[in-house]
Each structure stands twice: as C-alpha cells, then as structure tokens.
Amino acid sequence: MSGTPKIVIIGCGISGIAAAQRLVNGGFTDVRILEATARSGGRIKTGRFGNNIVEIGANWIHGPSEENPVFCLARQYKLLDPEALSPENQGMDIGGHPPWVPNVFSSSGDQLINAEDIYPAQDMFVELLYESSQYQSQGGEPWPSVGEFIRSEVRQRAAEQWKDIDAATRSLRMSVISNLMKAECCVNGAHSMDEVGLGAYGIYKTLPGLDCTFPGGYEGLIKNLMSELPSGLVTYNRPVSCVHWNSSEQRENPVVVECDDGEKIAADHVIVTVPLGYLKKHHSTLFRPPLPLHKLHSIQRLGFGTNNKIFVEFDSPFWDADCEVIYLLWDDEDALVQQVTDVQRSWLQKLFGFTVLKPTERYGHILCGWIAGHESEYMETLSEQEVTHAITQLIRRFTGNPILTPKRILRSQWFHDPWTCGSYTCPGKGCSAQDLENMMESLPTKGSQSQPLQVMFAGEATHPFYFSTVHGALLSGWREADRLISHYSKSKL
Ligand code: 6YU
C-alpha cells in the first residue's frame, strides 16, 4: 500500500463494524469509526425485560444457511442453538414466511377460532405475495402497489372460489386477509402495502433456512466482532454533522468530516453507514456539496417506515403450548377497505398480533406484539402506562377474560430514535433495482476527474437484494471495504 490512507466510517452498526473489520484485516492502519450514540450495534439491540433478554431491534437470522454470512459468523462464535445448526434447519426453504403454528382470537371475544378455518385465506394470501414477487422480472405490473394488487385479486378470487361457502366463513376469511396485510406491513416496515411497489417487491431475495434467533442475544454477534477490532478504533457520542467532499481547495486529504462538537477530521475516504431514515431527514445538511440529484431521488423513492415491538409478559399463558403466533381478527375488517382510522383512538387496531417467545423454559410467558406504520409512530408518543393500559384492554377483549393482566410491558421506539428515524428499508412505489444501485454509488460519481471513492455508502439500504436485513448490512460493509482494498492494490501495481 502506498502511504497510509485515512478512512473514516460513520456509524457503528453491523455495516460499519464489518467495513472496519475487513479494512483492518486488509492491512489498513488508519481506520476509525465515529458513532453518534454511546454504544455499538445500531439496530441490533438486545435489552433486559424482567429476568429475560429480548431483542429491541433485529430478531432473527433470516435464512440461516451457508450463503448467509451472519449465520456463518454466529456459528463460528458458537452463538446458536444446536437446532439452528442442523442440516434440516438449513435446508428448509420457507420463502420468507415461516410456517408458524397459530392461535386465532376475534374482537368479539370468548372464542378461539379453529385455525383450520383460516388456512384457505392464508394460502390465498401467500400465493398472492408470490405472484407479487414475479412482476419484477416480468415488468408491466397491473397495479402500482402490492396492496392494490392483493385487494383486487382477493375480491375476484373470493367471488369465484368461495362463492358456495357461508357468509360467516367468508367474512372470517376476509378478516384474515386484512390481518395478514397488517403483518406484511410489519415485515416490510411500511405503513400500508399500498406504499410497497408491485414492480419492486420481487427485488428482495430470501435465503434457505428456517429463521433462528440468538439464545444469548443478537448483540453477542456485535461483541464478538468488536473484540477483534483494535481498541480505541471507535469514538462514541460523536455525531457527524457534515461531510465536506470534492473540495476545490488544495489539501492533503480530499474529505473533511465535521462533527457536532465542531471537530473537523480530514480523511481520504469516508464510508457513510447512517440509516436511510436519517439520510431522508438530514441529507441536505449532511453533505457539502449536496448529493447528486439521481442519488437524492433514490433516497426519496425508497421507503423507510416504522415497525415496532411491544413485549408483554404474563404469569401464565392464555395460548396453547404449541402456539407460535397469535392473530387478532377484527370483526369489522371483512371488507378489505384501507383503514382510514382515527389514529389516536384506534391505533392499536394496527397491531396484527403477537409472536410467542420460545422456548418457554427460557423465556417463561412472553409475547412480542408487532405494529407498523403511522399508528406505530403514534404509539411511541404515549407513556408506558398508556400503552400498558391499551394492551391490557385489548387482550381482555380478545380473550373475553376481564381480569387478565400483563406482568410487565416494554416497547421499542425506532421512529423517534434520532439516529435511525424508522425501522428499515422497503421497496416503495415506483422503485426499481436502479435505486439500490444509486444508493451504493460512491462520490464523486464515475467520469469525474476528482479523486475517486471520497464518499462511499454502506448499510442495509445499499444492498441490491438483501436490504432491510442484518446480512444485507454486513455484506454491504464488506463490499465497500473490498472496493478500497482493490483500489489500493491496483494503484500499487
Ligand atoms: C434481520 C430481523 N428485524 C426489527 C426491527 C428493526 C430492524 N432488522 P444501523 O442503523 O444498525 O447502524 C447505523 C449507525 O449509524 C447507528 O449506530 C447510528 O447510531 C449511527 N449514526 C446515525 N447517524 C449518525 C451520525 N450523524 N453520526 C454518527 N453516527 C450516526 N434484520 O436480519 N432480522 O429479524 C430484523 C428488525 C424492529 C429496527 C430489524 C432485521 C433490520 C436490521 O436490524 C438492520 O438491517 C441492520 O441492523 C442495519 O445495520 P446498519 O449497519 O445498516 O445500520 C419485498 C420486501 C421485503 C423486505 N423485507 C423483508 C423482511 C426482512 C426485514 N425483517 C426485519 C424484521 C425484524 C423483525
């Protein structure tokens, strides 16, 4: 390597850590990470809940199999249960939808609907998601969004396929579809499936393997990776306010990174890993000169909504021993109309239900509620007491048990996290693969006479098909480090 290039990484989430690890292992000696908060991990965040640990951010390794670098690292660090390591687990291809055992409750209370009754609706919904994913390769999609496509197809198919079944069962199946739309909003981190582009939905790719969790917490991965970095490489509580690039002034290093406290750090290369939500909000002040228009438009087109969790602990379960997910069906949601709700009054209707934390021997009786969109953002503004009260009323209503009382509650607040501003990236209406290409494009863009690779971009929102995941973020960090390694190995020749 000629000279010692100065490299600054902004953000100490998994992508920033991955970039630093690769650069340090590649022989770069002047690498530092500037992190706004007091901790590493970003959206990988394990918290305490009573006597247990729970994941406030990322939950699963999606597609834990050989091709997934997060799985390979977790295995190397011995962070997984034997079940997750089994060839059977790795070989299962679930296409992003785990076959969870459901319990189903309705808003009229006192009834546990037979799970068998919901399967035809579930099958139709999964089929429609699969069809939605096919429009990416075909082009010429019939609707702009996944939501509009599904609603139109469900109405048509229900009229044909369910014409002979009784009205009550048909209405139940429609409520199931409404509920699955809410669940899909959580998966996509979107307010509504009407905001998810039909032509873009298939850009996201899944990996084989039945999703698994980290028994000791996702942050174990961060701790192991951090322990391999030289100490002092990360400066915490150091928000970056502006990246000055492409300067016309003659200076030794082409980039200056300005921090909130006024400190200015010169660099040859900056790898920006801040979340897309943060970029959407702060791009105009974060870059001098501003970002090129095509990059800015991609930042605006890609979606970055909110998905939050509400953990609820009970002394004893009201669900079956084998139950993995609890669906809450609202009797008034059988018309598939977009809920134009009074958010303040009925925000909790957006919660599709709960996943059950397993195994019971480890967690006791903890449920994780899932809520996406503007209702989720409103939930963040309520006090813990107000959320507890609302959840208690909801559970009493759906179980028909007027004295059921949770032991404790904990919720995430990703929208109001000033360094994240939401949960993760989703393919918005009108997006294409080009938008993700634009996200990862470095500055100055190709063809410029200035020094290349001044500002580089990593993070989940820059992965061409694993956006919104930990493995996508990790791979994006390695990708940008490899670009620098290859740049310097070429310039040495
Ligand atoms: C996964 C999962 N999972 C649930 C929830 C959330 C996320 N994800 P980071 O934000 O980590 O780091 C950036 C750092 O930058 C951070 O530390 C900041 O403090 C810092 N920073 C910001 N501004 C700064 C400044 N100015 N100066 C200095 N520093 C600054 N992923 O694999 N499995 O189960 C979930 C889930 C509630 C919030 C998730 C999951 C997403 C991951 O957490 C996330 O991608 C990575 O951690 C991001 O790492 P990073 O380094 O990029 O940023 C079609 C289609 C469908 C697509 N969706 C499919 C579904 C897949 C997504 N599933 C998610 C589900 C859950 C439950």
Side-chain angles (χ1 to χ4, degrees):
M1 199 184 302
S2 55
T4 307
K6 284 177 176 298
I7 302 167
V8 171
I9 298 168
I10 305 177
C12 195
I14 188 82
S15 60
I17 297 169
Q21 176 214 36
R22 196 74 146 216
L23 287 167
V24 168
N25 291 345
F28 288 78
T29 51
D30 197 342
V31 179
R32 63 184 293 193
I33 300 181
L34 303 176
E35 165 56 44
T37 70
R39 56 177 285 278
S40 312
R43 281 169 277 171
I44 294 178
K45 187 175 185 184
T46 307
R48 286 221 75 81
F49 185 53
N51 296 325
N52 285 287
I53 51 159
V54 288
E55 302 297 354
I56 311 294
N59 220 70
W60 295 281
I61 302 181
H62 288 307
S65 50
E66 289 302 331
E67 256 184 87
N68 187 328
V70 173
F71 171 72
C72 295
L73 283 171
R75 178 175 58 188
Q76 181 191 321
Y77 296 137
K78 302 194 184 343
L79 299 174
L80 299 178
D81 275 336
E83 204 187 330
L85 298 170
S86 70
E88 298 76 46
N89 205 84
Q90 290 181 53
M92 277 177 97
D93 204 345
I94 53 159
H97 290 86
W100 288 329
V101 176
N103 276 186
V104 189
F105 293 86
S106 94
S107 57
S108 53
D110 75 12
Q111 75 193 99
L112 179 62
I113 296 162
N114 185 358
E116 297 283 321
D117 292 340
I118 70 164
Y119 290 141
Q122 215 172 15
D123 290 348
M124 185 184 280
F125 191 78
V126 171
E127 175 70 27
L128 285 168
L129 284 183
Y130 172 74
E131 287 178 29
S132 300
S133 70
Q134 298 304 297
Y135 284 106
Q136 200 242 329
S137 39
Q138 287 174 13
E141 60 272 16
W143 292 94
S145 73
V146 175
E148 288 156 285
F149 170 68
I150 290 187
R151 273 201 307 281
S152 147
E153 287 296 314
V154 165
R155 289 204 181 101
Q156 222 170 305
R157 293 179 196 194
E160 287 160 17
Q161 297 168 22
W162 300 342
K163 62 177 184 303
D164 297 327
I165 63 166
D166 62 277
T169 310
R170 210 165 49 219
S171 155
L172 169 71
R173 289 183 186 174
M174 290 308 221
S175 302
V176 171
I177 302 264
S178 278
N179 186 262
L180 293 174
M181 284 278 230
K182 292 184 219 172
E184 201 53 29
C185 286
C186 293
V187 172
N188 286 270
H191 169 63
S192 155
M193 290 308 286
D194 288 15
E195 291 175 5
V196 180
L198 183 57
Y201 184 70
I203 299 173
Y204 178 75
K205 298 279 174 275
T206 57
L207 287 166
L210 186 61
D211 293 1
C212 67
T213 54
F214 288 75
Y218 226 126
E219 271 195 29
L221 177 68
I222 299 294
K223 287 202 183 85
N224 275 279
L225 285 167
M226 289 301 295
S227 71
E228 291 171 12
L229 291 178
S231 63
L233 185 133
V234 186
T235 310
Y236 294 101
N237 300 309
R238 188 61 63 92
V240 167
S241 53
C242 189
V243 177
H244 302 266
W245 59 287
N246 232 13
S247 169
S248 49
E249 289 166 36
Q250 279 301 316
R251 53 185 183 211
E252 204 181 331
N253 314 100
V255 193
V256 171
V257 177
E258 187 178 346
C259 301
D260 257 9
D261 61 6
E263 194 193 348
K264 291 194 169 119
I265 300 163
D268 295 296
H269 310 281
V270 174
I271 305 180
V272 178
T273 77
V274 303
L276 175 60
Y278 185 89
L279 274 183
K280 279 179 182 282
K281 204 167 169 183
H282 299 288
H283 65 83
S284 63
T285 48
L286 191 59
F287 300 97
R288 281 280 171 277
L291 295 174
L293 272 185
H294 65 285
K295 203 168 175 85
L296 179 57
H297 288 155
S298 293
I299 289 173
Q300 288 164 339
R301 253 193 308 269
L302 282 162
F304 195 85
T306 304
N307 179 22
N308 272 310
K309 305 178 184 183
I310 308 177
F311 294 98
V312 194
E313 186 172 14
F314 294 89
D315 283 321
S316 56
F318 61 85
W319 53 95
D320 296 340
D322 64 344
C323 168
E324 293 172 301
V325 62
I326 293 174
Y327 292 124
L328 303 181
L329 302 189
W330 291 83
D331 295 328
D332 61 354
E333 284 188 1
D334 57 352
L336 292 194
V337 282
Q338 276 288 291
Q339 293 295 305
V340 190
T341 49
D342 170 357
V343 170
Q344 301 195 2
R345 213 168 55 86
S346 45
W347 62 271
L348 203 46
Q349 200 158 338
K350 191 66 170 287
L351 183 120
F352 84 80
F354 301 91
T355 47
V356 183
L357 267 57
K358 298 270 181 172
T360 308
E361 311 81 67
R362 184 176 297 147
Y363 292 104
H365 310 297
I366 301 180
L367 299 179
C368 175
W370 296 87
I371 182 164
H374 304 324
E375 294 84 348
S376 187
E377 291 158 11
Y378 174 71
M379 178 275 290
E380 293 187 18
T381 66
L382 299 175
S383 69
E384 202 149 286
Q385 247 176 339
E386 286 170 311
V387 176
T388 304
H389 176 75
I391 286 281
T392 307
Q393 295 307 316
L394 179 89
I395 287 168
R396 288 180 178 175
R397 173 173 178 176
F398 275 78
T399 57
N401 179 345
I403 55 165
L404 202 55
T405 305
K407 239 167 101 174
R408 57 175 70 86
I409 277 187
L410 176 75
R411 45 65 198 266
S412 60
Q413 291 168 293
W414 286 105
F415 181 69
H416 288 90
D417 179 320
W419 312 109
T420 313
C421 315
S423 56
Y424 38 84
T425 303
C426 85
K429 234 164 34 181
C431 276
S432 72
Q434 186 60 50
D435 290 309
L436 292 146
E437 292 292 327
N438 291 349
M439 288 298 294
M440 72 172 98
E441 189 183 32
S442 60
L443 303 174
T445 50
K446 262 200 189 115
S448 158
Q449 299 301 308
S450 320
Q451 183 166 324
L453 303 180
Q454 292 181 31
V455 187
M456 304 166 82
F457 292 84
E460 56 90 7
T462 73
H463 195 280
F465 41 85
Y466 296 143
F467 51 85
S468 76
T469 65
V470 173
H471 53 282
L474 179 92
L475 286 168
S476 73
W478 283 348
R479 177 194 69 215
E480 295 309 307
D482 285 343
R483 276 220 258 184
L484 281 177
I485 293 168
S486 138
H487 173 74
Y488 280 96
S489 64
K490 272 187 207 135
S491 58
K492 205 173 85 178
L493 292 174

